[in-house]
Amino acid sequence: MANADNASTRDHSPHDHAQCIDDALDAAAEICARRGARLTPLRRRVLELVWAGHEAVKAYDLLAKLDAGAKPPTVYRALDFLVAHGLVHKLESLNAYVGCPRPQTAHEGQFLICDTCGLVDEIDAPELNSQLVERAAIAGFAPQRQTVEVHGRCAACGGSRS
Amino acid sequence: MANADNASTRDHSPHDHAQCIDDALDAAAEICARRGARLTPLRRRVLELVWAGHEAVKAYDLLAKLDAGAKPPTVYRALDFLVAHGLVHKLESLNAYVGCPRPQTAHEGQFLICDTCGLVDEIDAPELNSQLVERAAIAGFAPQRQTVEVHGRCAACGGSRS
DNA sequence: CTCGAAACGCTATATCATAACATTTAATTG
DNA sequence: CAATTAAATGTTATGATATAGCGTTTCGAG
C-alpha cells in the first residue's frame, strides 16, 4: 500500500518529476537570494542535473553531462556550493550526491537507499536525531555533523511488501 | 570527568593499549576458528596495524607499514576479510577503517568521531538501531546495512566539558 | 600425495577528489 | 561609468582511494 502521504519524501510512483525539478530550482533561487549567495548558471545547471531523478548521482557523471571539456574542479566546486547551502546532500556510503527535498530548513540528512533500484529517500526523523545527540552527550561528545544512511530494499523493490 | 565505566568503548585516557591489541587479536583468532575462517599472518598483521590506536586508519597508511613492496590489493583484500567478519568497520565518511571492540556479536557500527584528535568511539545504541529500523518500516523499506557516523568533538577535546 | 579452493603477488587501470594558478565575470565604490 | 577588487570559473597537474584480472603459492580435504 503505497501512500503518498506517509513520511517519505518520494517513492518511485509515477509523478510529475518536472515539477520536482522546478520546485528544487525555485527553492534554490529563493534561498540563495535570501542569503546573497549566487546561484550561477553553472550551479543551477548542476543542481538541475542532480535532480534528474530521485537517485544518487556521481560527480563524474554530472561532469559528463556538462558541456564537453568540463574538468573535475568545475563540478566539485559547484557541488561544494550546493552542499554548503543545503541544496544537495552528499551520500558518504556511495560517494554520490542527491538533491535535498527540504532545503528551506537546515538539517542533516537521513537516508534510505535502495540497493536494487537506486532510489534515495530522505527521511525526516527528528526523534532519531535527538537520540543520537543524547547518546553522544552521555559520552561527553559534542556532535557537529552526522551521517545516517540505511541501505536495503525499498517498498517497490520488495522491501516490506511488494 | 572521564569515566571508564560509561557506555563508551574507550576514551583517550591512558590505558594499557597493548592489552587492547591483544584482546582484539585473541577475539579474532577465536571467532575465525569458530567459523572455519583463516586468520592468516597477513590478515592478522593488518588487524594489528588497524589496532595501533583508537583512531581511524587509511588503507594506504596500512600499506606503507606492511613490508615494502606491498600493493593495494593486498591490504584491501585483508580489510575486506576483516570487515566481512566484523573485526573491523569501515568509516564511510572518512574512507578509513577502525577496529571493532565487540566483534563477538554481529552488529552495525555506530560511531562518534572526534574531528580534533581523531578518536573513534564505537557506541552501542540498540534503541537507535531499532528506531531506524522502525522508521524504515514506515516507508516499507527493508534495511540491510546502516551507516551511522557522528562527527564532532570528544570530551577530552572540549566536547561537553573539558 | 594429489587435487581443488583459497589466498596472495603483481600489473594495470578505474574512480574519486583537490592543489595551484591563470583568466573571466560580476559587484562595489569612488 | 570607470577603476578596483572579490568571486567564480577554466585549466593543468596530481593526489588519493579502490578494483579488475590473471598468474602463482599455500593449504586443507580426500
Side-chain angles (χ1 to χ4, degrees):
Chain A
M1 286 164 199
N3 173 3
D5 286 325
N6 68 18
S8 297
T9 298
R10 175 62 61 200
D11 58 23
H12 258 166
S13 307
H15 66 281
D16 182 1
H17 189 63
Q19 190 61 52
C20 295
I21 299 177
D22 282 354
D23 289 351
L25 293 175
D26 288 353
E30 200 217 305
I31 288 165
C32 289
R34 210 163 359 96
R35 295 181 190 168
R38 293 170 54 198
L39 187 63
T40 63
L42 174 63
R43 289 164 175 174
R44 195 173 175 340
R45 174 91 178 107
V46 170
L47 180 58
E48 197 180 354
L49 290 172
V50 167
W51 272 99
H54 292 276
E55 290 83 35
V57 184
K58 299 285 201 165
Y60 273 70
D61 289 344
L62 292 172
L63 195 53
K65 284 174 187 148
L66 292 175
D67 302 331
K71 311 294 182 199
T74 297
V75 74
Y76 280 107
R77 281 191 291 226
L79 286 169
D80 285 350
F81 172 89
L82 297 170
V83 169
H85 287 279
L87 304 172
V88 160
H89 296 291
K90 176 168 187 185
L91 301 176
E92 300 287 356
S93 63
L94 291 175
N95 294 322
Y97 302 82
V98 71
C100 174
R102 303 181 204 88
Q104 304 286 353
T105 57
H107 63 277
E108 304 280 344
Q110 298 159 333
F111 305 92
L112 304 181
I113 302 167
C114 181
D115 293 328
T116 301
C117 69
L119 181 76
V120 177
D121 183 10
E122 179 174 349
I123 61 179
D124 180 22
E127 75 284 4
L128 194 59
N129 202 83
S130 41
Q131 273 221 347
L132 211 44
V133 170
E134 190 186 323
R135 194 61 195 65
I138 295 172
F141 188 95
Q144 286 170 357
R145 176 167 77 85
Q146 51 172 268
T147 298
V148 177
E149 298 172 15
V150 181
H151 285 256
R153 267 181 175 248
C154 74
C157 290
S160 299
R161 54 187 68 221
S162 178
Chain B
M1 286 165 200
N3 172 4
D5 286 324
N6 68 18
S8 297
T9 297
R10 173 64 61 200
D11 58 23
H12 259 168
S13 307
H15 65 280
D16 181 1
H17 189 63
Q19 190 62 51
C20 294
I21 300 175
D22 281 356
D23 289 351
L25 293 176
D26 287 354
E30 198 216 307
I31 288 165
C32 288
R34 207 157 9 88
R35 295 181 191 168
R38 291 169 57 197
L39 187 63
T40 62
L42 174 64
R43 289 165 176 174
R44 199 181 139 79
R45 174 90 179 111
V46 170
L47 181 58
E48 198 180 353
L49 289 171
V50 167
W51 272 99
H54 292 276
E55 289 83 35
V57 184
K58 300 284 202 165
Y60 274 73
D61 290 344
L62 292 171
L63 195 52
K65 286 175 185 147
L66 292 175
D67 302 330
K71 311 296 181 196
T74 297
V75 74
Y76 280 106
R77 282 192 290 227
L79 286 169
D80 285 349
F81 172 89
L82 296 170
V83 168
H85 287 279
L87 304 172
V88 160
H89 295 291
K90 176 168 188 184
L91 300 177
E92 300 287 357
S93 62
L94 292 176
N95 293 322
Y97 302 82
V98 71
C100 175
R102 305 181 203 88
Q104 303 287 352
T105 56
H107 63 279
E108 303 282 342
Q110 297 158 335
F111 304 91
L112 303 181
I113 301 167
C114 181
D115 292 329
T116 301
C117 69
L119 181 77
V120 177
D121 184 10
E122 179 174 349
I123 61 180
D124 182 21
E127 76 284 6
L128 192 60
N129 203 82
S130 41
Q131 272 218 349
L132 212 44
V133 170
E134 191 185 321
R135 193 64 194 63
I138 294 173
F141 188 94
Q144 287 171 356
R145 176 166 76 87
Q146 50 172 269
T147 298
V148 177
E149 298 171 17
V150 181
H151 285 255
R153 266 181 175 247
C154 74
C157 291
S160 298
R161 56 186 67 219
S162 178

